[in-house]
Amino acid sequence: MRIDIITCLPELFEGPMNQSIVKRAVQKGHVDIQIHDLRIYSTNKHKTIDDYAYGGGAGMVMMIEPIDLCISELTSQREYDEIIYLSPDGETLNQGICNQLSLTKNLILLCGHYKGVDERVRQHLITREISIGDYVLSGGELAAMVLADALIRLVPGVLNDESSALTDSFQDGLLAPPVYTRPATYKGWDVPAVLQSGHEGKINEWRHEQSVKRTQDRRPDLLS
Ligand code: ADE
């Protein structure tokens, strides 16, 4: 899978995209992440990528031309499954969307800033808009990283069996059951006996019951 990220803050991606599972996924060749600095596509001498809003009002708006030039360069090289704009008014991200996008081959993620992008970008250049929740971030970069992280761990081969994504919360519409590790007793707090029984059938049954209970208690909306 290839993910092209268009941003005016490329340095932000250096840490999170170079650690842990994402780093291993890149090293093993499961995913290729390319960060594109939008300023390089600015056509004015000050290398600006934003301008005042038509009609007035506070806040700058990201200009269409640098975004168009960057997207055009990318789409001239390969076909993209989706060109996604991260925005608080997009469809809210969930595990279903992540599953679907993890099966695609090429994605562009466009990070917004300031008051957002010129509306014509949304009308003509992108194919999908995604929000990571009902709150406003100072830019789309963190949202793009959240989306990339959630997708990459689902790409076949990225996780080993032990940490398989199949047992994650939301993957079967339920929250994940509680987990424990050694010691079996700590300050008198015990690990449930069934988990220590070695009886696989009983353990699976317990885990399912706990998943249902946890979902009923914490996220009853997922069951309806
Ligand atoms: N940009 C700013 N806020 C955002 C959000 N909640 N989701 C996606 N992109 C954003």
Side-chain angles (χ1 to χ4, degrees):
M1 176 184 215
R2 178 177 162 124
I3 304 177
D4 289 273
I5 301 177
I6 305 174
T7 172
C8 53
L9 291 171
E11 316 81 38
L12 274 185
F13 291 86
E14 279 163 20
M17 298 286 103
N18 281 304
Q19 301 291 330
S20 182
I21 290 170
V22 174
K23 181 182 181 182
R24 276 211 312 277
V26 171
Q27 282 173 343
K28 286 202 259 169
H30 292 301
V31 56
D32 179 10
I33 304 170
Q34 296 295 328
I35 311 290
H36 306 277
D37 185 353
L38 198 51
R39 279 181 210 285
I40 290 172
Y41 297 87
S42 170
T43 51
N44 63 55
K45 69 170 187 281
H46 300 295
K47 291 284 164 203
T48 53
I49 48 158
D50 59 329
D51 208 339
Y52 295 101
Y54 269 116
M60 305 293 276
V61 176
M62 287 170 72
M63 295 186 293
I64 189 170
E65 191 183 24
I67 296 172
D68 185 28
L69 290 174
C70 183
I71 290 178
S72 299
E73 186 178 298
L74 292 171
T75 53
S76 71
Q77 289 161 4
R78 67 193 65 75
E79 213 169 292
Y80 284 88
D81 299 280
E82 297 277 14
I83 303 175
I84 299 170
Y85 174 51
L86 283 308
S87 171
D89 55 8
E91 63 182 312
T92 309
L93 185 63
N94 59 34
Q95 196 64 25
I97 297 173
C98 293
N99 285 336
Q100 187 226 333
L101 291 177
S102 72
L103 300 173
T104 60
K105 214 163 158 270
N106 298 311
L107 292 178
I108 292 177
L109 307 185
L110 171 65
C111 305
H113 252 268
Y114 319 110
K115 275 279 165 210
V117 294
D118 186 310
E119 186 65 17
R120 291 166 292 185
V121 170
R122 304 173 75 158
Q123 288 169 333
H124 303 290
L125 303 181
I126 62 151
T127 62
R128 196 160 179 175
E129 306 188 2
I130 290 180
S131 162
I132 63 161
D134 291 343
Y135 42 83
V136 180
L137 301 165
S138 47
E141 281 77 11
L142 288 172
M145 286 185 237
V146 166
L147 177 58
D149 185 285
L151 298 186
I152 289 167
R153 58 194 300 287
L154 293 171
V155 171
V158 168
L159 293 185
N160 51 31
D161 271 355
E162 248 168 72
S163 49
S164 165
L166 293 175
T167 56
D168 285 344
S169 278
F170 307 113
Q171 207 58 26
D172 55 2
L174 296 174
L175 300 183
V179 293
Y180 298 84
T181 185
R182 288 188 292 180
T185 299
Y186 181 73
K187 291 186 175 177
W189 303 322
D190 295 332
V191 172
V194 60
L195 294 179
Q196 302 177 63
S197 69
H199 193 302
E200 204 188 323
K202 288 207 173 112
I203 292 171
N204 288 338
E205 201 180 311
W206 181 88
R207 285 186 170 147
H208 182 69
E209 281 165 16
Q210 293 292 319
S211 277
V212 172
K213 183 172 178 312
R214 193 160 268 206
T215 311
Q216 267 160 355
D217 291 347
R218 297 178 184 210
R219 291 293 307 277
D221 57 299
L222 293 176
L223 295 172
S224 52

